[in-house]
């Protein structure tokens, strides 16, 4: 606490000119809170008043589950009976209780109950995980005022509206709070809102003046107050209310409100009163309900079942018509039916009744066309697939010990059909760590260490260098002594990739000093004093050491200073300048102290800079300035900011280093670094005094014009600047992010970034991730209201309709520009902010916006709210009709995660809200590559092939029942024993199809990653389109015809046993069933590309099981085995015709498929066929050049990722080389 009290002497609110709050004065007018939407009343520190209505508000516990105890059964049953096949089997189970059913009720009800029950149990298990994580959040502790000035721990779920809570440093706020006081005497606190808007910059909040004295536990003993404010709503950036305290009313605004799931930073503690709890809090108001998601394959499966229903009804109607004809005209001739006691279903005088009764019988009898076991088999397969995803060691994060987690297995195959990825930025792509990497001072570039983007691009350049050299060899060069080579061109272009390619540095290397990745001996250890512009370098270092709002703290263990800064950038600047010999060591209300090492003697001098004014950074100003007086009495304005802003404010003699600095900034941007320009201005005493009088007047102004007056006065000072240099900071991406994005782009996936961060930051990360690159045309859609330089322009842009028209005009012009672009290599990037997005998402404009976004190579949406993230996701999902995947790590990403077809949560450091709402969770963004390109590809093909095969085998089996019924006069008689029919789907064909769905691999995982274009088989739906589905159905029809008619032909009117007996129905039916078992199991063996001992065991074991069953079943008493008694041992086994028929039918059934795949592989092979043959013949080992060439072809043409960046550079090099070759040709003698 001592350290906290020392800091408390610093009134940090004085630092901020534009920052947290206007000055509190007696002229502040309370908000007129009348009408709907402003009915909430909060009685502070009086919890008993909120225990009953009308002041009883919702509890503070939250739930992200899909079900609860009451809704589980109705909702889960509804989910199960959304599947049309289940509805059919429910009706069939009900009808099976009638006397006309060909099967017993138990045989129909039991399978349905098993399938539905298993699926519901899986749903319950997956939802219970969400429930347990909800419990973990709800049981977090916070200090709560018990009464009499005593605070004690209480669970979040028990916090009520009106409670006073104490939140300590680095803890999350349990609800939406009104800030009353903090550990700083002026009520300032710092809040990290990364979970809400994705920003890592700390927000400054400040309490009202009247509550500043409530800065200890005892002061709340008799505290009471009343808050009247707006009702719960999802607007994160607005709040309207009044605070009634000690007979005074004070207006409230967002700067006093601390939102749930924000984190307290750089402040020891705060006191706050709860305004909104639980699902009333703004973060939960932005959440959407857990949706019930179904994969595209499963939805399409419904249409297949509709088709089979149509076939089922058709053949049932045909059967019934045939039965009616038989009944009407032939029943009278059937002497074995007693005319005096005929049953109603055979009565020729009641043909209609007979037909209807037979229709019901037929619908149940032919039910094997609709595979009830398909659903349970798919459930089993998906659970096993999810298990393999969870246990994939390649997606295990060693640092955190976190594996991948398939939280729902319903969407496994959807992973293989993703078209668009919508990603958060902060915490998802980046890890919130800034490293000072390079700088430009006096027009000279310093810093030789490569950024992650340069390393990634260099690796790609190195891998492509051989192909490029072979391509360049096609250009005829003149026979001159001066030889032109690629390396010469590279050197002439000052490309640093050559050194990067040869470096052995590990891209994951952790720098020895956190925040400092700089490497250049020219500036280190005082060597900068020997540089030609040492005076400019000195000024550069002093600007970094003085121009900031950070607070130094001594680390008691190491004795070094650490810095509490508003942004990670500022912290990295101070760490860097400390390493250069300028250590910021102390701050008072009016001074900044820096320990400077400005001589080669290593002597340290502590200098004091009087802080006269601080013009802080805002997203609108895009710059920060301080006015200081040094020890010699000179007054300087030191400024740092966005290069475009600084360059516009340079004096004529301040542009000496403008050209080289601009070139360096472009290089830094290409390397994916965040840049700032540094400048200064020398002021004389009289000029400063006059300006300061104006500034203080503007600062003391109360009213709506205060900010604009301050901005105008600041503009007067921040001009005529002299450029010093620029900084380049690497926003540390998560490990492997550039490579992952590059691979996903090569797989043909589109990537949209949706972030709450400001536009400049998002653009920098876009460059770092290679979503943006130099040469890519950026289309920035924005409202022009802020850019209006005069009142007339602002007036015209002030109406909503005018703003909408302007935005629509920008979108239309951009779309037209893309269409008219003739360069095939041209790439466009769309960048839009949240304010503009509000208009762009309206119904009359959203489709134009979507069309523009789809035409662009990458899309970045900045300053978006959680609700807007969800709306953009919905627009892409519904507008394109293609599969979307959303990935994020914070509570602000929950909406889009739930809205997307697939939601992926990053189980990072900041909370678990995204994970709780997700379908899959991974520890790092880079694992998304393997999740999609490997597991997604495999799961899609496995499920697609499995479903197609399932329909094939059930059609092949089910239609034989129809053929036999037609063959026997539509009698309703089945040719198969009841036990055969029960075992067909449950035992004899179930395990091979499960092994297909779990273990099948068209290519190994490493080949999937080497040939990312294979992934496009999923989005193009090559394995589950109607052509393939109908082809498999046709194969089933063909097999059924062969099985039935060939078997009947072989056995009809021919001697079957040695003594000349012909086959009876049991022998024919068993032979036919044997043929089915062999045909369908051999078919699945032909379908498989990858065999393990498990597949062999299941396929050949299933066939063997049939014979074992037939022997054991035949050994039972005839009471149980009936006509199958000793059938195999005594009748079928000794008969050669049985074995020859089985062999002939099996070969004939599978011959067309074998011919088809042979023809396809020879004349129209698919991508994976070629790869399989290369691997089989080991061409990848014997002919490495061919393997590399095939790999280079096996990626989708893309305009994002470092591969696209390298290709653009290679095109540039080729162009330069051709020009140089042309010039040499002209110079050479003829």
């Amino acid at each position: 606490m001592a350290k906290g009290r020392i800091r408390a002497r610093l009134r940090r609110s004085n630092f901020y000119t534009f920052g947290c709050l206007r000055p509190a004065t007696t002229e502040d007018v309370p908000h007129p809170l009348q009408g709907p939407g402003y009915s909430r009343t909060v009685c502070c520190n009086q919890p008993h008043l909120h225990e009953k209505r009308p002041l009883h508000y919702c509890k503070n516990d939250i739930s992200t589950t899909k079900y609860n105890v009451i809704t589980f059964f109705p909702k889960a049953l509804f989910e199960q009976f959304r599947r049309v096949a289940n509805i059919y089997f429910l009706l069939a189970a009900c009808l099976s209780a009638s006397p006309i059913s060909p099967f017993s009720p138990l045989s129909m009800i039991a399978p349905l109950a098993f399938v539905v029950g298993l699926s519901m149990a899986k749903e319950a298990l997956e939802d219970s995980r969400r429930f347990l994580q909800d419990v973990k959040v709800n049981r977090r502790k916070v200090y709560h005022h018990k009464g009499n000035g005593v605070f004690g721990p209480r669970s979040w779920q028990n916090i009520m509206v009106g409670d006073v809570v104490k939140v300590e440093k680095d803890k999350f706020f349990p609800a939406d709070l009104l800030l009353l006081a903090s550990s700083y005497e002026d009520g300032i606190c710092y809040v990290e809102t990364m979970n809400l808007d994705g920003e890592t910059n700390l927000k400054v909040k400040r309490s009202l003046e009247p509550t500043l004295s409530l800065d200890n536990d005892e002061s709340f003993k008799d505290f009471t107050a009343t808050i009247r404010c707006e009702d719960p709503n999802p607007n994160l950036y607005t709040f309207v209310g009044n605070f009634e305290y000690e007979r005074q009313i004070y207006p409230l605004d967002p700067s006093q409100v601390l939102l749930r799931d924000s984190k307290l930073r750089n402040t020891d503690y705060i006191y706050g009163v709860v305004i909104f709890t639980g699902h009333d809090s703004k973060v939960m108001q932005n959440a959407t309900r857990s949706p019930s998601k179904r994969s595209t394959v499963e939805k399409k499966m419904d249409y297949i079942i509709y088709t089979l229903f149509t076939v089922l009804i058709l053949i049932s109607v045909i059967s019934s018509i045939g039965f009616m004809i038989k009944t009407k005209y032939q029943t009278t001739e059937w002497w074995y039916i007693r005319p005096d006691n005929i049953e109603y279903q055979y009565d020729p005088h009641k043909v209609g009744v007979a037909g209807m009764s037979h229709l019901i019988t037929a619908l149940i009898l032919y039910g094997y066309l609709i595979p009830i076991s398909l659903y349970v088999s798919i459930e089993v397969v998906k659970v096993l697939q999810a298990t393999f995803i969870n246990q994939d060691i390649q997606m295990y994060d060693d640092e955190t010990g976190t594996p991948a987690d398939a939280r729902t297995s319903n969407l496994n195959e959807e992973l293989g059909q993703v078209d668009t990825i919508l990603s958060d930025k902060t915490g998802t792509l980046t890890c919130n760590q800034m490293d000072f990497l390079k700088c430009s001072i006096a027009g000279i570039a310093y810093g030789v260490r490569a950024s992650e983007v340069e390393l990634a691009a260099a690796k790609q350049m190195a891998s492509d260098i051989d192909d490029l050299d072979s391509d360049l060899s096609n250009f005829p060069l003149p026979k001159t002594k001066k030889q032109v080579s690629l390396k010469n061109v590279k050197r002439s272009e000052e490309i640093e990739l050559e050194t990067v390619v040869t470096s052995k540095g590990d891209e994951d290397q952790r720098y020895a000093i956190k925040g400092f990745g700089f490497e250049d001996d020219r500036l280190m250890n005082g060597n900068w004093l020997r540089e030609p512009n040492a005076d400019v370098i000195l000024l550069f270092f002093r600007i970094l050491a003085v121009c900031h709002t950070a607070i130094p703290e001594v680390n008691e263990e190491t004795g070094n200073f650490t810095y509490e800064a508003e942004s990670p950038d500022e912290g990295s600047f101070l760490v860097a300048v400390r390493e250069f010999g300028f250590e910021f060591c102390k701050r008072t209300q009016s001074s900044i102290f820096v320990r400077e090492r400005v001589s080669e003697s290593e002597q340290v001098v502590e200098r004091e800079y009087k802080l006269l004014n601080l013009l802080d950074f805002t997203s609108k100003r895009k710059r920060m300035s301080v006015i200081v007086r040094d020890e010699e009495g000179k007054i300087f304005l030191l400024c740092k900011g966005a290069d475009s802003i600084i360059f516009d404010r340079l004096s004529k003699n301040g542009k000496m280093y403008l050209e080289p600095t601009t070139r360096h900034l472009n290089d830094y941007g290409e390397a994916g670094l965040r840049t700032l320009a540094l400048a200064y201005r020398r002021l004389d005493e009289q000029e400063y005094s006059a300006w300061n009088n104006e500034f203080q007047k503007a600062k003391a102004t109360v009213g709506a014009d205060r900010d604009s007056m301050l901005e105008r006065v600041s503009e007067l000072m921040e001009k005529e600047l002299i450029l010093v240099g620029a900084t380049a900071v690497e926003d540390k991406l998560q490990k492997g992010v550039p490579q992952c994005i590059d691979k996903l782009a090569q797989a043909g996936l589109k990537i949209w970034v949706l972030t709450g961060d400001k536009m400049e930051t998002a653009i920098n990360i876009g460059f770092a991730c290679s979503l943006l690159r130099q040469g890519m045309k950026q289309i920035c859609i924005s409202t022009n209201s802020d850019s209006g330089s005069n009142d007339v322009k602002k007036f015209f842009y002030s109406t909503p309709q005018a703003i909408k028209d302007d935005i629509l005009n920008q979108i239309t012009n951009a779309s037209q520009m893309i269409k008219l672009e003739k360069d095939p290599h041209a790439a466009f990037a769309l960048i839009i902010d949240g304010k503009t997005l509000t208009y762009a998402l309206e119904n009359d404009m959203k489709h134009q916006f979507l069309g523009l976004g789809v035409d662009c190579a990458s899309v970045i949406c900045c300053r978006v709210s959680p609700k807007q993230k969800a709306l953009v996701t919905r627009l892409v999902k519904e507008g394109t009709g293609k599969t979307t995947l959303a990935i994020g790590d914070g509570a602000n990403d929950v909406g889009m995660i739930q809205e997307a077809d697939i939601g992926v949560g990053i189980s990072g450091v900041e909370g678990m809200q995204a994970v709780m709402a997700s379908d899959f969770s991974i520890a790092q963004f880079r694992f998304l590559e393997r999740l999609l390109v490997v597991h997604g590809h495999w799961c899609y093909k496995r499920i697609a092939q499995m479903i197609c095969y399932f329909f094939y085998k059930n059609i092949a089996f089910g239609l034989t029942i129809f053929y036999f019924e037609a063959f026997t006069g539509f009698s309703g008689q089945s040719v198969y024993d009841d036990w055969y029919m029960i075992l067909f789907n449950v035992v004899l064909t179930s395990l091979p199809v499960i092994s297909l769905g779990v273990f099948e691999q068209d290519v190994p995982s490493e080949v999937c990653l080497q040939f990312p274009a294979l992934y496009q088989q999923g989005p193009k739906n090559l394995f589950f389109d109607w052509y393939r589905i109908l082809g498999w159905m046709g194969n089933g029809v063909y097999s059924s015809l062969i099985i039935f008619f060939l078997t009947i032909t072989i056995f009809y009117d021919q001697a079957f046993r040695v003594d000349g007996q012909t086959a009876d129905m049991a022998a024919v039916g068993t032979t036919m069933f044997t043929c089915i078992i062999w045909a369908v199991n051999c078919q699945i063996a032909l379908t498989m590309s990858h065999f393990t001992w498990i597949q062999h065991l299941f396929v050949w074991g299933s066939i063997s099981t049939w014979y074992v069953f037939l022997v054991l079943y035949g050994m039972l008493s005839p009471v149980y085995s009936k006509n199958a008694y000793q059938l195999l041992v005594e009748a079928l086994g000794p008969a050669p015709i049985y074995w020859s028929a089985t062999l002939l039918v099996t070969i004939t059934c599978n011959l067309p498929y074998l011919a088809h795949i042979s023809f396809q592989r020879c004349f129209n092979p698919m991508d994976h066929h070629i790869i399989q043959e290369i691997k089989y013949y080991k061409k990848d080992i014997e002919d490495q050049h061919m393997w590399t060439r095939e790999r280079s072809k096996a990626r989708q043409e893309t305009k994002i990722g470092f591969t696209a960046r390298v290709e653009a550079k290679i095109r540039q090099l080729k162009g330069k080389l051709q020009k140089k070759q042309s010039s040499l040709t002209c110079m050479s003698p003829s």
Side-chain angles (χ1 to χ4, degrees), residues 69 116 295 315 454 512 566 585 654 663 788 792 843 1020 1078 1215:
V69 176
V116 171
S295 70
I315 63 175
E454 289 176 302
E566 278 187 65
C585 60
R663 188 172 67 251
V792 175
N843 289 331
K1020 291 177 181 176
W1078 270 98

Side-chain angles (χ1 to χ4, degrees), residues 221-236:
K221 184 175 182 180
D222 301 315
F223 167 72
T224 59
T226 302
I227 300 170
R228 303 186 192 280
C229 64
E230 64 187 22
D231 292 335
N233 63 73
N235 299 320
L236 294 175

